[in-house]
Amino acid sequence: MNWASAADFWAMGGYGFYVWGSYATVLAVVVIEIVLLRVRRRRAISEIIGGNLEMGKSTQTVGDR
Amino acid sequence: MSTLSVHARPGLFWFSSPQTFFPLAGRLTPWFFVIGAVLAALGLYVGFFVAPTDATQGESYRIIFIHVPAAWMSMFLYLIMAFWAALGLILNTRVSSMMATAIAPTGALMTVLALITGSLWGRPTWGTYWVWDARLTSELILLFLYLGFLALQAAIDDPRRADKAGAVLALVGVVNIPIIYFSVQWWNTLHQGSSVSLTRSPSMAATMLLGMLLMALAFWSYSIGAALHRVRSILLEREKRSEWARELRAAERLK
């Protein structure tokens, strides 16, 4: 065990700002990416379910894999 | 070649057909996120409670457990992105190209994380948040390559043309990866060379290395999960009028 107390843990030997700043940044970016992924998915699905997609308006080329 | 003949039987292009790939990616995605979370929990435990204080850098070195995995992922993801882009270009498989497009945002975010955590580590150890040395500058160029790839694809309306233009940019940018990797050897730089032997004591280095490798695997797993999640959205966006998307809609299996 490296830490004598919880305060000791949060202080990170005087480097708290840099260590926790780094970890908070990673956490924030991961949370933001997951939210954006979910928003994009929901938008894509609602466009198929709610959208007026006529069979004749197909833009997909059949010969394309 | 018609789409039907491709997905009718397993073969080389079995998984390159959207109707096979979409449900498969959907089944795999949650597992990558779960494995990533478990590995991150283990890695953080080892990183903060098992790995000892560094002899020269004190507790500030604990940034290594996210900085190095993020920096590794920023480079790996670029290579994987370029690989799928090249495959899409050569074989004309559109799922390959969509894979490249799906990886780019996660790669850009990993590059941002490597740069931010690096500058937060640089301040206490070098006395500065930023310095224009070879390692940092080439990593910044990597971010611009990701952003350039995304901007170029967003600027072209026709998806297949966007795929091809993006692939060319991605392939040209591959030259930057060895430059980043070997920059600490080729040039005089503030950035330290080796990241695994921070202390002289081998037992200390072992737990530090373990924590770092667990976090690296966690970042891998998360990145694959994020890319697979995104590629399914891209598939739906691009092929919303296709036969397979209609079938999924009718079967209520779009999620």
Side-chain angles (χ1 to χ4, degrees), chain B:
Chain B
M1 189 184 291
S2 87
T3 312
L4 278 171
S5 71
V6 170
H7 79 99
R9 57 191 162 38
L12 184 60
F13 292 104
W14 176 252
F15 291 115
S16 72
S17 86
Q19 53 272 64
T20 320
F21 183 69
F22 185 88
L24 176 77
R27 276 197 301 277
L28 291 175
T29 305
W31 288 105
F32 281 107
F33 282 128
V34 168
I35 291 167
V38 170
L39 287 169
L42 288 172
L44 290 174
Y45 174 75
V46 172
F48 281 100
F49 296 103
V50 181
T53 306
D54 183 66
T56 53
Q57 293 191 19
E59 308 298 354
S60 71
Y61 95 92
R62 293 187 197 277
I63 295 171
I64 201 174
F65 300 116
I66 43 175
H67 174 70
V68 171
W72 280 349
M73 287 319 297
S74 72
M75 292 186 283
F76 284 141
L77 288 175
Y78 191 90
L79 292 177
I80 300 167
M81 178 184 89
F83 168 79
W84 285 117
L87 214 61
L89 195 63
I90 297 161
L91 300 177
N92 201 28
T93 44
R94 57 182 196 272
V95 176
S96 311
S97 300
M98 285 186 234
M99 220 32 233
T101 307
I103 290 167
T106 301
L109 286 174
M110 288 294 165
T111 314
V112 166
L113 288 181
L115 289 167
I116 293 177
T117 58
S119 84
L120 283 168
W121 196 2
R123 179 67 197 171
T125 45
W126 306 337
T128 178
Y129 284 110
W130 183 262
V131 56
W132 291 100
D133 85 340
R135 174 54 72 82
L136 280 68
T137 307
S138 53
E139 182 75 9
L140 185 65
I141 290 170
L142 181 67
L143 177 62
F144 293 152
L145 283 170
Y146 276 122
L147 296 180
F149 177 87
L150 288 166
L152 180 65
Q153 293 210 321
I156 301 172
D157 284 334
D158 175 20
R160 292 302 285 150
R161 281 192 59 215
D163 286 344
K164 283 173 184 138
V168 172
L169 190 151
L171 286 169
V172 171
V174 167
V175 74
N176 188 46
I177 301 298
I179 293 178
I180 299 172
Y181 191 77
F182 293 110
S183 58
V184 286
Q185 294 171 26
W186 291 348
W187 290 282
N188 231 341
T189 152
L190 262 184
H191 198 284
Q192 64 196 53
S194 171
S195 49
V196 290
S197 55
L198 279 167
T199 59
R200 278 147 199 86
S201 163
S203 65
M204 291 172 92
T207 50
M208 289 174 181
L209 183 62
L210 176 67
M212 203 174 77
L213 292 178
L214 283 169
M215 290 304 283
L217 290 173
F219 273 54
W220 258 111
S221 202
Y222 169 80
S223 300
I224 296 170
L228 286 178
H229 192 288
R230 189 177 291 110
V231 79
R232 291 178 84 235
S233 299
I234 295 173
L235 273 162
L236 293 180
E237 288 162 8
R238 287 208 195 169
E239 313 218 341
K240 53 193 168 199
R241 292 182 177 85
S242 69
E243 194 73 43
W244 68 268
R246 273 164 218 287
E247 283 167 15
L248 284 183
R249 177 193 176 182
E252 294 187 345
R253 288 179 56 210
L254 284 171
K255 293 202 168 87

Side-chain angles (χ1 to χ4, degrees), chain A residues 7-23:
Chain A
D8 195 25
F9 177 71
W10 294 116
M12 273 296 140
Y15 296 111
F17 170 76
Y18 305 104
V19 173
W20 299 125
S22 297
Y23 281 83

